[in-house]
Amino acid sequence: MWINTCKMYARFTNVLCKVIKSENRSLRIRQLSAVASKAHEVEERKIKVDGMEINYARVGTGDHPVLLLPGALGTIWTDFKPQIENLDRNKLTIVAWDPPGYGKSRPPNRTFPDDFFQRDATWAHNLMKTLGYTKFSLVGWSDGGITSLLLASTYPDSIRKMIVLGANAYIHPDEIKIYENVRDINKWSEKMRTPMIQVYGEDYFQKTWSNWIDSVLRLYKTQNGDLCKQILSKIKCPTLIIHGAKDAMVLPEHPTYLKENIANSKVHIFEKGAHNLHLRYPEEFNNLVTNFLLDQSKL
């Protein structure tokens, strides 16, 4: 009888161990599933920064946070949808923002004082600090690239790496004509105009865009075209300067100037790319961004 009892106990113990192992596997699978779900779930909400309600989106669980900065009147989704959806969410934590006055970061409406680029740089830096990131990388397009240059120079200890595309440190006289030629949004292509009207409505879009044109024309006159030339030497982070050879908004001399004046920088030219190359060629662009941000070697 004692032997039979021992056998029964052994069988019970064996079954119990299998049940426990199965439960542990199930728990582990649920945990991994939860992590995967979090990595692919985009969080979008507003948060108060310096008294402003700033809208941001965040996705990914990587230990390398990166902030995406849109261009003039640009938003999270008009300017960086392919990046939010397709950059490596396991290795990066991707944050994008609507600068105050743009997108869902309204009210208040957008204003353009002489220091609006520096103002955006301060807001963007403080947004990331408020979200808990002490050191992060930047990907800035057009106006967002200018903001990134100012941010990296003002807060060098906060920035790991920086990528700017379609960016310029000054305004060339020929670019004044370019800006005036695109002041009327009815001259824009339907593909470029429609998403902005969907965000803003036609009246706010035209008024704010025209105000932006006026502001850069004013800066051209009052600052002799200088947007941030004097601060480039203060940038310490590894920097990748991307430019489209077919960019009709930013002259091809700008990436050369940035390369010559930013230490530890390099240039990549998209021969087939225009001003919005990251939207037109997202896979190639995203691979370039990922490789640069995650590369541990020095330039």
Side-chain angles (χ1 to χ4, degrees):
M1 182 176 178
W2 173 251
I3 294 175
N4 289 337
T5 301
C6 287
K7 288 180 177 179
M8 289 175 62
Y9 179 76
R11 284 198 296 270
F12 172 77
T13 303
N14 187 45
V15 170
L16 182 61
C17 287
K18 289 180 179 179
V19 169
I20 292 172
K21 288 179 180 179
S22 177
E23 287 294 323
N24 286 340
R25 273 198 304 271
S26 297
L27 176 61
R28 181 60 178 160
I29 290 171
R30 288 196 297 272
Q31 290 173 334
L32 291 173
S33 178
V35 170
S37 177
K38 183 180 179 183
H40 289 84
E41 183 178 331
V42 179
E43 167 199 5
E44 185 174 359
R45 60 186 289 265
K46 291 185 178 182
I47 190 169
K48 183 163 284 190
V49 179
D50 299 338
M52 304 294 293
E53 291 286 336
I54 295 179
N55 186 62
Y56 73 93
R58 174 167 54 185
V59 66
T61 56
D63 59 5
H64 189 141
V66 54
L67 175 64
L68 311 180
L69 299 96
L73 277 79
T75 71
I76 295 164
W77 297 105
T78 60
D79 287 16
F80 286 114
K81 187 173 187 288
Q83 285 67 54
I84 294 167
E85 293 179 345
N86 297 302
L87 284 173
D88 193 328
R89 300 177 177 187
N90 295 311
K91 295 179 181 178
L92 302 171
T93 294
I94 303 137
V95 180
W97 79 322
D98 292 339
Y102 291 165
K104 296 178 183 176
S105 295
R106 295 176 294 146
N109 289 341
R110 181 71 173 184
T111 60
F112 297 99
D114 287 351
D115 67 343
F116 76 89
F117 285 117
Q118 183 63 60
R119 182 188 63 179
D120 281 0
T122 301
W123 276 333
H125 173 265
N126 292 346
L127 167 66
M128 293 300 279
K129 293 296 185 181
T130 302
L131 293 176
Y133 304 115
T134 57
K135 204 169 183 69
F136 50 92
S137 291
L138 304 170
V139 177
W141 177 38
S142 197
D143 268 24
I146 299 169
T147 299
S148 296
L149 294 171
L150 285 159
L151 200 165
S153 66
T154 306
Y155 309 99
D157 293 337
S158 296
I159 308 305
R160 294 172 67 166
K161 292 186 177 183
M162 175 171 60
I163 299 171
V164 294
L165 61 148
N168 50 305
Y170 59 89
I171 302 168
H172 188 280
D174 291 346
E175 288 166 334
I176 295 299
K177 303 171 188 175
I178 295 172
Y179 300 152
E180 285 290 11
N181 287 338
V182 295
R183 181 187 289 271
D184 184 356
I185 62 172
N186 292 310
K187 294 182 179 179
W188 290 33
S189 69
E190 192 71 24
K191 186 176 181 181
M192 294 298 291
R193 182 175 66 245
T194 298
M196 306 302 277
I197 291 176
Q198 289 173 345
V199 171
Y200 296 112
E202 190 165 351
D203 290 343
Y204 184 85
F205 176 34
Q206 179 63 80
K207 179 182 178 181
T208 309
W209 175 245
S210 189
N211 288 344
W212 180 86
I213 298 288
D214 289 340
S215 72
V216 294
L217 295 182
R218 185 179 69 247
L219 291 176
Y220 176 76
K221 292 177 182 177
T222 61
Q223 298 178 184
N224 197 28
D226 185 357
L227 297 176
C228 59
K229 291 167 67 175
Q230 305 304 316
I231 56 84
L232 298 180
S233 62
K234 298 179 182 179
I235 296 172
K236 306 303 180 186
C237 62
T239 300
L240 175 60
I241 303 153
I242 301 176
H243 194 79
K246 298 180 179 180
D247 193 328
M249 291 292 292
V250 180
L251 296 181
E253 67 184 57
H254 288 293
T256 301
Y257 182 87
L258 292 175
K259 171 69 174 66
E260 290 173 348
N261 289 276
I262 300 175
N264 200 18
S265 67
K266 63 180 179 179
V267 174
H268 182 94
I269 302 296
F270 271 76
E271 293 299 335
K272 56 188 177 182
H275 193 58
N276 62 342
L277 63 89
H278 64 301
L279 300 176
R280 182 68 178 82
Y281 305 102
E283 185 175 354
E284 187 177 350
F285 176 81
N286 288 353
N287 287 337
L288 186 65
V289 166
T290 301
N291 291 338
F292 177 74
L293 291 180
L294 298 179
D295 184 9
Q296 299 300 312
S297 63
K298 295 184 178 180
L299 292 181

